[in-house]
Amino acid sequence: MSRADSLRPDYSLWHLIAVELRRQRQIRKISGAALAVILDCDRSTVARYESGDVQLPVGRARILDREWGLLGFFENLVKHAKEAQDLEWWETFKEYERRSNLVKTYEPSLIPGLLQREAYARAVFTTSRRTDVEEAVAERMTRQQILTRPNPCKLMAILDTAAILRIFGDADVMRDQLSHLLEVSEWPNVYLRVTSDRLIGYGGVGGGFTVMQTPTGDLGFATVGSTGHISLDPADIQEQAIRYDQIGMSSLTIEASRAFIAKTLESIS
């Protein structure tokens, strides 16, 4: 089954846009290459719009509406999709994560899920009053397999100092978790850094976010308060990548980050 055939327009406006773009093109008997000329992009970009791997930008939505006489149809769909809550956002997130060859993430409050130990994850879910703690823990452990599979995903993670110092569970849980961070930081596909231990403000600070790169398209995820937002818009993803670099400029080196984690581990009584 192709990516386009697996789209769910009944759950996602972005999937509806992808399906409708393909349908409208086929109705007009226009090839993907011909549509690429109309949109001033290459054929592969059109294919990614139709597969849902990349979101249709509002500017190109306007071009479609003008060329096909659709009176704002695609432009309005795109605008609504940008504001809507995708009912399958978590499934979309996990699908991109499974296909990722590179994940960049910044976490201000917790150890990133891909690096959490089972006991730490259980403590986090219990503290947040999840009713499905064991199922959530099992899912999180399964997700971590992308780091140990053949041709493993590369993970570049920046953790705020608070995420290292904040205790979930008891002392044994935190010792186990910090020891694990030291171990995985030596893996060739994991690059782990901590923000400055001077507890000063730094550029790009805000909620946590993740950028995933896959062979067919990229995804950005950001947290705002208690809610999350995913985006396939290249402009949104680029903005998150810039934030990651800004935070990285104010962070410790990889070696200094290991030293800070080790120092914190030694201080746990």
Side-chain angles (χ1 to χ4, degrees):
M1 177 185 294
S2 68
R3 286 275 296 146
D5 292 333
S6 66
L7 294 174
R8 293 288 304 278
D10 54 335
Y11 274 79
S12 168
L13 275 172
W14 288 114
H15 285 197
L16 175 61
I17 291 168
V19 168
E20 191 61 24
L21 174 59
R22 186 183 187 189
R23 189 180 77 87
Q24 292 285 348
R25 176 178 64 78
Q26 292 175 338
I27 287 174
R28 291 165 175 78
K29 296 181 171 57
I30 297 174
S31 68
L35 181 55
V37 173
I38 293 173
L39 295 178
D40 190 25
C41 63
D42 53 44
R43 174 66 184 87
S44 63
T45 300
V46 170
R48 292 164 76 187
Y49 290 153
E50 293 186 354
S51 68
D53 282 322
V54 173
Q55 293 169 355
L56 181 69
V58 67
R60 285 181 172 151
R62 293 192 187 106
I63 294 173
L64 291 173
D65 291 335
R66 183 179 67 247
E67 292 291 326
W68 293 347
L70 295 177
L71 303 176
F73 174 71
F74 276 107
E75 180 180 358
N76 288 329
L77 276 180
V78 168
K79 287 180 176 178
H80 283 301
K82 284 181 173 292
E83 298 298 326
Q85 174 66 44
D86 187 340
L87 297 180
E88 280 197 327
W89 76 268
W90 181 233
E91 293 304 317
T92 300
F93 181 96
K94 290 189 295 182
E95 178 184 351
Y96 270 81
E97 188 176 68
R98 284 192 296 269
R99 295 192 288 121
S100 291
N101 47 40
L102 173 62
V103 173
K104 291 184 176 182
T105 188
Y106 162 69
E107 179 53 65
S109 302
L110 303 170
I111 307 301
L114 290 177
L115 298 177
Q116 289 181 9
R117 293 285 280 174
E118 183 174 332
Y120 180 93
R122 184 174 291 106
V124 169
F125 288 130
T126 300
T127 301
S128 60
R129 303 176 69 85
R130 287 280 292 263
T131 59
D132 59 342
V133 171
E134 293 308 316
E135 292 85 350
V137 170
E139 180 181 63
R140 181 152 293 180
M141 297 302 103
T142 299
R143 286 171 49 212
Q144 295 178 4
Q145 293 174 6
I146 68 170
L147 299 178
T148 56
R149 70 191 180 197
N151 299 315
C153 176
K154 290 183 174 63
L155 174 65
M156 302 178 69
I158 300 177
L159 283 65
D160 191 275
T161 305
I164 301 297
L165 299 176
R166 181 172 288 111
I167 295 176
F168 282 92
D170 58 22
D172 287 340
V173 170
M174 288 308 300
R175 278 194 290 267
D176 177 57
Q177 178 61 69
L178 296 183
S179 295
H180 181 64
L181 289 184
L182 290 175
E183 177 186 345
V184 300
S185 70
E186 300 282 356
W187 294 0
N189 60 313
V190 175
Y191 306 85
L192 180 61
R193 298 175 67 188
V194 179
T195 60
S196 173
D197 57 354
R198 294 172 58 198
L199 296 178
I200 59 176
Y202 47 86
V205 68
F209 59 90
T210 299
V211 175
M212 304 179 193
Q213 296 182 8
T214 81
T216 57
D218 301 341
L219 178 142
F221 171 80
T223 56
V224 182
S226 60
T227 62
H229 170 71
I230 63 172
S231 177
L232 304 179
D233 187 326
D236 292 341
I237 296 169
Q238 183 181 45
E239 180 61 30
Q240 291 179 358
I242 291 172
R243 284 187 62 203
Y244 181 90
D245 289 342
Q246 287 179 315
I247 295 170
M249 292 172 66
S250 301
S251 298
L252 302 174
T253 65
I254 290 177
E255 293 75 15
S257 297
R258 288 195 190 108
F260 177 76
I261 295 170
K263 180 180 177 181
T264 305
L265 175 60
E266 292 174 359
S267 70
I268 297 176
S269 57

